[in-house]
Protein backbone atom coordinates (compact mmCIF):
# COMPACT_ATOMS: atom_id res chain seq x y z
CA UNK A 1 0.00 0.00 0.00
CA UNK A 2 1.15 3.52 -0.75
CA UNK A 3 2.40 5.46 2.28
CA UNK A 4 -0.05 8.17 3.36
CA UNK A 5 1.03 11.79 3.02
CA UNK A 6 -1.96 13.76 4.29
CA UNK A 7 -5.20 12.84 6.03
CA UNK A 8 -8.10 14.94 4.71
CA UNK A 9 -11.83 15.06 5.45
CA UNK A 10 -13.37 13.75 2.21
CA UNK A 11 -14.98 10.74 0.53
CA UNK A 12 -13.23 8.84 -2.26
CA UNK A 13 -14.84 6.41 -4.70
CA UNK A 14 -14.03 4.74 -7.99
CA UNK A 15 -16.46 4.52 -10.91
CA UNK A 16 -15.07 2.32 -13.67
CA UNK A 17 -11.42 3.38 -13.70
CA UNK A 18 -12.17 6.98 -12.61
CA UNK A 19 -11.37 8.14 -9.09
CA UNK A 20 -13.68 10.80 -7.64
CA UNK A 21 -12.77 12.64 -4.44
CA UNK A 22 -15.72 14.45 -2.83
CA UNK A 23 -14.35 17.37 -0.82
CA UNK A 24 -16.11 20.23 0.93
CA UNK A 25 -17.29 21.53 4.27
CA UNK A 26 -18.76 19.30 6.95
CA UNK A 27 -22.46 18.74 6.33
CA UNK A 28 -22.25 19.40 2.57
CA UNK A 29 -23.33 15.85 1.76
CA UNK A 30 -20.09 14.32 0.47
CA UNK A 31 -20.93 10.82 1.65
CA UNK A 32 -24.51 10.84 0.36
CA UNK A 33 -23.47 12.21 -3.05
CA UNK A 34 -20.72 9.59 -3.33
CA UNK A 35 -23.13 6.83 -2.26
CA UNK A 36 -25.71 8.00 -4.81
CA UNK A 37 -23.05 8.01 -7.54
CA UNK A 38 -22.07 4.45 -6.63
CA UNK A 39 -25.73 3.36 -6.70
CA UNK A 40 -26.19 4.96 -10.14
CA UNK A 41 -23.00 3.30 -11.41
CA UNK A 42 -24.24 -0.14 -10.32
CA UNK A 43 -27.54 0.46 -12.13
CA UNK A 44 -25.55 1.28 -15.28
CA UNK A 45 -23.53 -1.93 -14.91
CA UNK A 46 -20.30 -0.04 -14.12
CA UNK A 47 -17.72 -1.17 -11.61
CA UNK A 48 -17.80 1.00 -8.51
CA UNK A 49 -16.22 0.85 -5.09
CA UNK A 50 -15.71 2.96 -2.00
CA UNK A 51 -12.12 3.89 -1.27
CA UNK A 52 -12.66 5.85 1.95
CA UNK A 53 -15.27 7.92 3.75
CA UNK A 54 -14.62 10.72 6.23
CA UNK A 55 -10.85 10.16 6.41
CA UNK A 56 -8.86 9.88 3.20
CA UNK A 57 -5.10 9.43 3.17
CA UNK A 58 -3.57 11.20 0.17
CA UNK A 59 -0.18 10.33 -1.27
CA UNK A 60 1.62 10.80 -4.57
CA UNK A 61 2.88 8.05 -6.82
CA UNK A 62 4.43 8.75 -10.23
CA UNK A 63 2.66 12.12 -10.41
CA UNK A 64 -0.78 10.69 -9.57
CA UNK A 65 -2.85 11.50 -6.48
CA UNK A 66 -3.54 8.27 -4.58
CA UNK A 67 -6.39 7.99 -2.06
CA UNK A 68 -6.24 5.30 0.61
CA UNK A 69 -8.40 4.25 3.54
CA UNK A 70 -7.50 3.77 7.18
CA UNK A 71 -7.98 0.00 7.78
CA UNK A 72 -10.33 0.60 10.73
CA UNK A 73 -13.01 2.16 8.47
CA UNK A 74 -12.51 0.11 5.29
CA UNK A 75 -15.78 -0.46 3.46
CA UNK A 76 -17.81 1.80 5.76
CA UNK A 77 -19.68 4.94 4.72
CA UNK A 78 -21.81 7.13 6.96
CA UNK A 79 -25.12 8.21 5.48
CA UNK A 80 -26.28 11.12 7.61
CA UNK A 81 -29.59 10.37 9.29
CA UNK A 82 -29.39 6.70 8.31
CA UNK A 83 -26.22 5.41 9.93
CA UNK A 84 -23.14 3.54 8.79
CA UNK A 85 -23.47 1.06 5.92
CA UNK A 86 -21.07 -1.40 4.31
CA UNK A 87 -20.02 -1.00 0.67
CA UNK A 88 -17.76 -2.88 -1.71
CA UNK A 89 -14.37 -1.23 -1.34
CA UNK A 90 -10.80 -1.07 -2.55
CA UNK A 91 -7.95 -0.10 -0.21
CA UNK A 92 -6.57 2.60 -2.51
CA UNK A 93 -7.06 4.16 -5.95
CA UNK A 94 -5.83 6.93 -8.22
CA UNK A 95 -8.01 10.03 -7.98
CA UNK A 96 -8.78 11.90 -11.22
CA UNK A 97 -11.25 14.61 -10.15
CA UNK A 98 -12.24 16.52 -7.02
CA UNK A 99 -16.00 16.96 -6.71
CA UNK A 100 -16.74 20.21 -4.88
CA UNK A 101 -19.87 22.14 -3.83
CA UNK A 102 -21.48 24.14 -6.61
CA UNK A 103 -23.40 27.39 -6.35
CA UNK A 104 -26.94 27.82 -7.68
CA UNK A 105 -26.91 31.61 -7.66
CA UNK A 106 -24.73 34.65 -7.92
CA UNK A 107 -21.48 35.12 -9.79
CA UNK A 108 -20.27 31.55 -9.18
CA UNK A 109 -23.30 29.90 -10.80
CA UNK A 110 -21.17 28.77 -13.73
CA UNK A 111 -17.79 27.57 -12.45
CA UNK A 112 -14.68 28.39 -14.47
CA UNK A 113 -13.52 25.88 -17.09
CA UNK A 114 -10.31 24.10 -16.21
CA UNK A 115 -10.62 24.79 -12.48
CA UNK A 116 -7.93 23.06 -10.40
CA UNK A 117 -8.27 22.63 -6.63
CA UNK A 118 -5.46 22.20 -4.11
CA UNK A 119 -6.50 19.52 -1.62
CA UNK A 120 -3.34 19.75 0.50
CA UNK A 121 0.19 20.96 -0.10
CA UNK A 122 1.34 19.30 -3.31
CA UNK A 123 -2.00 17.58 -4.05
CA UNK A 124 -4.17 19.13 -6.79
CA UNK A 125 -6.93 17.76 -9.00
CA UNK A 126 -9.25 19.11 -11.71
CA UNK A 127 -12.45 20.29 -10.03
CA UNK A 128 -16.03 19.36 -10.87
CA UNK A 129 -18.80 21.33 -9.16
CA UNK A 130 -22.01 19.66 -8.00
CA UNK A 131 -25.06 20.81 -6.04
CA UNK A 132 -26.45 18.73 -3.22
CA UNK A 133 -29.93 17.36 -3.59
CA UNK A 134 -29.65 16.54 -7.28
CA UNK A 135 -31.38 13.28 -8.11
CA UNK A 136 -28.72 11.92 -10.49
CA UNK A 137 -25.29 13.26 -9.52
CA UNK A 138 -23.36 10.68 -11.57
CA UNK A 139 -25.34 11.57 -14.70
CA UNK A 140 -24.42 15.23 -14.16
CA UNK A 141 -20.74 14.40 -13.66
CA UNK A 142 -20.76 12.16 -16.77
CA UNK A 143 -22.35 14.95 -18.82
CA UNK A 144 -19.47 17.20 -17.83
CA UNK A 145 -16.74 14.55 -18.27
CA UNK A 146 -17.89 11.73 -20.60
CA UNK A 147 -14.89 9.49 -19.77
CA UNK A 148 -16.05 8.99 -16.14
CA UNK A 149 -16.71 5.32 -15.65
CA UNK A 150 -14.55 4.12 -18.53
Amino acid sequence: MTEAGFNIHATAIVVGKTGLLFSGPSGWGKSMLAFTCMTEARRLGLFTALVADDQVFLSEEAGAVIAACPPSIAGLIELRGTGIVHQDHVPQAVMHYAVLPGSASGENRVPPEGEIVSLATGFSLPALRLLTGVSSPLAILMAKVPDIGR
Side-chain angles (χ1 to χ4, degrees), residues 2 31 108:
T2 305
S31 299
N108 298 326

Side-chain angles (χ1 to χ4, degrees), residues 23-103:
S23 181
S26 183
W28 172 56
K30 297 177 286 292
S31 299
M32 190 62 80
L33 284 169
F35 176 79
T36 304
C37 284
M38 289 189 299
T39 300
E40 284 184 79
R42 284 187 204 99
R43 287 185 184 142
L44 293 171
L46 299 172
F47 169 79
T48 189
L50 176 67
V51 178
D53 180 49
D54 193 48
Q55 295 182 59
V56 179
F57 292 148
L58 294 182
S59 61
E60 184 272 338
E61 189 173 295
V65 175
I66 308 296
C69 184
S72 63
I73 60 170
L76 302 176
I77 186 168
E78 180 186 357
L79 303 178
R80 190 170 292 224
T82 299
I84 296 173
V85 298
H86 293 269
Q87 291 291 290
D88 291 338
H89 69 281
V90 294
Q92 66 179 26
V94 173
M95 294 291 106
H96 299 92
Y97 299 98
V99 181
L100 306 171
S103 175

